[in-house]
Amino acid sequence: MTGQDFNFYPGTRIIGKWHRKQYELIRKIGSGAQGTVYLAVSDGKKMAIKLARDRASLIAEVNVLKQFEQLQSNPLGPSLYDNDDWLYGGETIGFCAMEYLKGTPASEALRKRSFDWTIVFLVQLLNQLKKLHESGYIFADLKPENLIIIDPGHQIRCVDFGGATKIGRSVREYTEFYDRGYWGMGTRKAEPSYDLFACAMILIDAATGGRFERSGYPQDQLLRKVKEASRLVPYQSIIFKALSGRYASAEEMRQALVSQAMERQQPSTQMRRRGVSATAKSKTNDGWVSAWLAASIMLTIYIVCVLVYTM
Amino acid sequence: MKKGTLRQILLITDGCSNQGEDPAAMAALAREQGITVNVIGVLDHFDAEDSRGLQEVESIAQAGGGISQIVQTRQLAQTVQMVTKQAMTQTIKGVINQELQGILGETGTVEDLPPEKRGKVMEIVDELGETVDLDVCILVDTSASMKTKLPTVREALMDMTLSLSARMGRNNYCLYLFPGKRKAVTRVVSWSPNLDSIERAFEKIGTHGVTPTGPAIKEATKSFGQIARRKMLFQDDEAYDDGPRF
Ligand SMILES: Nc1ncnc2c1ncn2[C@@H]1O[C@H](COP(=O)(O)OP(=O)(O)OP(=O)(O)O)[C@@H](O)[C@H]1O
């Protein structure tokens, strides 16, 4: 545990101590508490290399990724190519090479895109979590920074499985805002509902424009935050259910989200076309009521236009 | 490896001891008795004054075979549970390394294994960390300069029990504050499987000018003797397994 960030120049060559594979670093992608991720090239193929600060956490991540390799279904995480040590100036740095997921970190994408997209990403995420849970793990350290929106296709993918934990064990890595223990709303035992709590917090984070610290009465505080956010109104009951751990599975929550999102669509086809700008408006307006107001004003204008046109 | 009990002292302090035995020596003594000493230094700003505190924090942990971490008050919660868990992993790894040396010769450690094998070993370490029983004697410095930090310390300790209680193994805690009213240390919670009773433990603390860290560590080390005796005493009492100790 050295603590400081790695800083290697582009062009730095890495040779694995055990498997003797060669890599050339292209640029730094990002860094976190556990290590630094570089874009690298090996045999003409681009990949992501994670240099670990703490080898224990890397080993845990590699173990999990290996498990996924054995699953037949869609990839849950990036594919794992190699796992080795690099002897660098008398130090041994553990690293792993994995599939490079090209895209935008969700932390950025969620801010840039409309709230409708947040719902879409969450539905996708729940689908991934469902598979993960079925394979016996929870993700645990679920937060936008650990999610990537793949460039073409708008698909969400998880990165950083360092926190993934076998169901039934205790959670090792977490981020306070997304941790139900922090909010006094449950244990740190690895069970599917732990991830679902974090999903609800991702929604709250996206709708209220940022994380906030816990106050003296954390549960009331969360309740209030959810009630105050106009964009969360249609999803209130789903959020409360996830926060209180009452969803038995990711699939159950996913279905609830999907049907609620569909429900929200305006009934007639004309309205749906206008609906886009109506929801866009509601972001700047404070209340759900004003969103409806905007929508009905637009409907009125539309009808007037039609009348004028036909006359 | 037989599933045993890990014993830790968790010292939370902000600085310099000024009374009694040398704290690092006391920590080394604890280590000799199979107890790991971890230290969390709550230092909010680093100046010349703090640098001695910093050194002391590091040297106690080093002597006690444990982990030290310097934090600001607001990061305390996450750090306390992390340090405790990391120290468990370290101890377990230490034991496994010893076993490995028997097999691989003098220089063999987990770190020298190829990645695949290391992965397997780490899984075992993980598994053990989940299932071993853990005794933690918490030692909180309540000298004048710590006063404003105590509510956060209390929260951090509650948070730690939350993390540890999610494990499958059993946990036991006791809590000592120093300096005590008339003695160097006061025991406010004796060995028990949870820390629910600390809500009010920090309220009636007077301020003293002294910081007897060494004597406090010594006292904490002795507390494990009490628990060991108790275990022997109740050894064939079935009910002992689930209920509180007292
Ligand atoms: N396979 C990958 N492809 C593309 N980008 C990646 C990949 N893996 C990680 N990244 C990027 O690198 C950044 C840091 O990686 P990661 O979160 O895994 O590091 P970490 O040190 O484990 O972080 P944490 O503090 O969250 O544990 C991430 O935010 C992510 O955007």
Side-chain angles (χ1 to χ4, degrees), chain B residues 28-210:
Chain B
L29 213 54
R31 186 187 189 177
E32 287 305 313
Q33 296 166 65
I35 300 160
T36 311
V37 185
N38 302 305
V39 193
I40 292 174
V42 198
L43 301 175
D44 276 328
H45 26 69
F46 296 92
D47 46 32
E49 179 114 344
D50 275 345
S51 84
R52 190 168 84 84
L54 194 96
Q55 265 177 14
E56 189 177 284
V57 162
E58 279 170 4
S59 72
I60 296 174
Q62 210 171 32
I67 291 175
S68 68
Q69 185 84 36
I70 304 294
V71 288
Q72 312 235 311
T73 313
R74 40 175 284 274
Q75 310 160 318
L76 202 59
Q78 266 202 314
T79 310
V80 169
Q81 62 92 20
M82 209 178 67
V83 161
T84 309
K85 282 192 143 185
Q86 273 179 2
M88 289 174 71
T89 310
Q90 183 177 297
T91 311
I92 296 169
K93 248 169 128 175
V95 174
I96 289 186
N97 272 339
Q98 268 175 15
E99 305 266 316
L100 275 178
Q101 270 162 23
I103 303 166
L104 304 176
E106 270 301 289
T107 53
T109 67
V110 179
E111 315 299 323
D112 299 323
L113 293 173
E116 297 73 29
K117 297 233 172 66
R118 202 188 306 149
K120 293 231 171 64
V121 173
M122 278 308 292
E123 253 177 58
I124 298 170
V125 172
D126 248 25
E127 172 84 38
L128 283 170
E130 250 336 288
T131 51
V132 286
D133 295 341
L134 176 69
D135 294 343
V136 191
C137 180
I138 303 155
L139 210 50
V140 180
D141 171 356
T142 55
S143 59
S145 50
M146 280 290 288
K147 194 109 200 197
T148 55
K149 300 166 187 171
L150 292 181
T152 321
V153 169
R154 198 197 65 211
E155 259 176 45
L157 292 177
M158 294 308 291
D159 192 83
M160 178 188 74
T161 60
L162 190 70
S163 272
L164 293 177
S165 65
R167 298 182 325 119
M168 288 180 260
R170 272 185 304 162
N171 304 299
N172 256 309
Y173 310 96
C174 72
L175 175 65
Y176 283 74
L177 306 181
F178 68 98
K181 275 240 167 62
R182 256 165 244 100
K183 298 171 290 180
V185 275
T186 324
R187 181 174 70 189
V188 286
V189 179
S190 34
W191 287 110
S192 105
N194 50 54
L195 273 182
D196 296 341
S197 38
I198 68 166
E199 282 297 325
R200 264 161 284 110
F202 291 100
E203 273 168 17
K204 295 173 289 217
I205 296 163
T207 24
H208 299 251
V210 294

Side-chain angles (χ1 to χ4, degrees), chain A residues 24-311:
Chain A
E24 187 177 325
L25 300 185
I26 299 176
R27 66 177 165 85
K28 192 188 270 194
I29 301 175
S31 68
Q34 314 301 334
T36 309
V37 179
Y38 282 88
L39 178 63
V41 64
S42 175
D43 291 336
K45 194 173 169 189
K46 277 190 184 169
M47 50 187 72
I49 287 203
K50 185 170 191 167
L51 299 168
R53 200 158 303 148
D54 167 16
R55 283 206 279 170
S57 170
L58 180 76
I59 291 166
E61 179 166 9
V62 165
N63 277 347
V64 173
L65 289 179
K66 263 195 201 144
Q67 291 259 324
F68 294 163
E69 301 285 285
Q70 288 156 13
L71 296 177
Q72 303 291 304
S73 61
N74 280 344
L76 284 173
S79 313
L80 180 72
Y81 300 143
D82 189 16
N83 168 33
D84 211 331
D85 292 332
W86 175 35
L87 299 178
Y88 175 76
E91 241 189 294
T92 309
I93 301 171
F95 72 88
C96 74
M98 57 191 161
E99 178 188 0
Y100 171 53
L101 302 174
K102 190 166 177 294
T104 323
S107 41
E108 201 177 302
L110 290 181
R111 302 260 172 273
K112 279 194 193 144
R113 301 219 201 175
S114 66
F115 189 69
D116 293 329
W117 273 106
T118 304
I119 300 294
V120 173
F121 292 143
L122 211 69
V123 168
Q124 292 179 352
L125 176 62
L126 285 164
N127 197 24
Q128 301 249 339
L129 288 176
K130 171 190 168 223
K131 292 180 206 154
L132 181 65
H133 295 165
E134 280 166 0
S135 74
Y137 284 87
I138 71 158
F139 192 80
D141 196 6
L142 203 55
K143 55 178 172 180
E145 295 93 309
N146 285 340
L147 303 168
I148 282 189
I149 313 297
I150 301 298
D151 243 351
H154 314 296
Q155 267 290 329
I156 203 164
R157 290 277 289 275
C158 299
V159 289
D160 191 5
F161 282 79
T165 309
K166 272 201 187 123
I167 289 177
R169 292 204 176 165
S170 58
V171 170
R172 275 171 293 129
E173 283 175 27
Y174 61 86
T175 304
E176 279 178 349
F177 183 81
Y178 303 94
D179 164 46
R180 67 180 181 189
Y182 174 75
W183 296 100
M185 298 194 70
T187 65
R188 294 209 176 104
K189 213 171 209 11
E191 42 196 23
S193 55
Y194 186 90
D195 277 349
L196 302 184
F197 180 94
C199 285
M201 292 308 289
I202 291 177
L203 265 186
I204 295 175
D205 175 14
T208 57
R211 301 172 198 180
F212 41 88
E213 272 184 30
R214 151 185 85 174
S215 69
Y217 301 92
Q219 301 188 16
D220 294 348
Q221 183 191 5
L222 280 185
L223 214 78
R224 207 163 1 92
K225 279 278 184 188
V226 174
K227 286 194 170 149
E228 277 168 11
S230 57
R231 281 179 280 176
L232 293 182
V233 169
Y235 301 104
Q236 265 184 19
S237 61
I238 296 176
I239 292 174
F240 289 147
K241 205 170 162 184
L243 290 181
S244 53
R246 281 181 289 130
Y247 279 115
S249 68
E251 179 59 14
E252 199 183 322
M253 183 172 170
R254 192 187 73 91
Q255 276 174 9
L257 260 186
V258 170
S259 57
Q260 186 55 45
M262 300 305 283
E263 185 92 338
R264 240 163 53 89
Q265 265 182 10
Q266 285 76 5
S268 79
T269 42
Q270 288 103 319
M271 274 299 292
R272 201 177 299 151
R273 225 180 290 145
R274 302 279 166 168
V276 178
S277 49
T279 39
K281 267 238 165 74
S282 71
K283 247 194 296 181
T284 44
N285 286 335
D286 286 30
W288 181 66
V289 181
S290 43
W292 271 108
L293 208 65
S296 40
I297 288 171
M298 245 176 288
L299 180 64
T300 319
I301 293 170
Y302 183 78
I303 291 169
V304 169
C305 286
V306 169
L307 282 182
V308 168
Y309 183 75
T310 48
M311 272 191 330

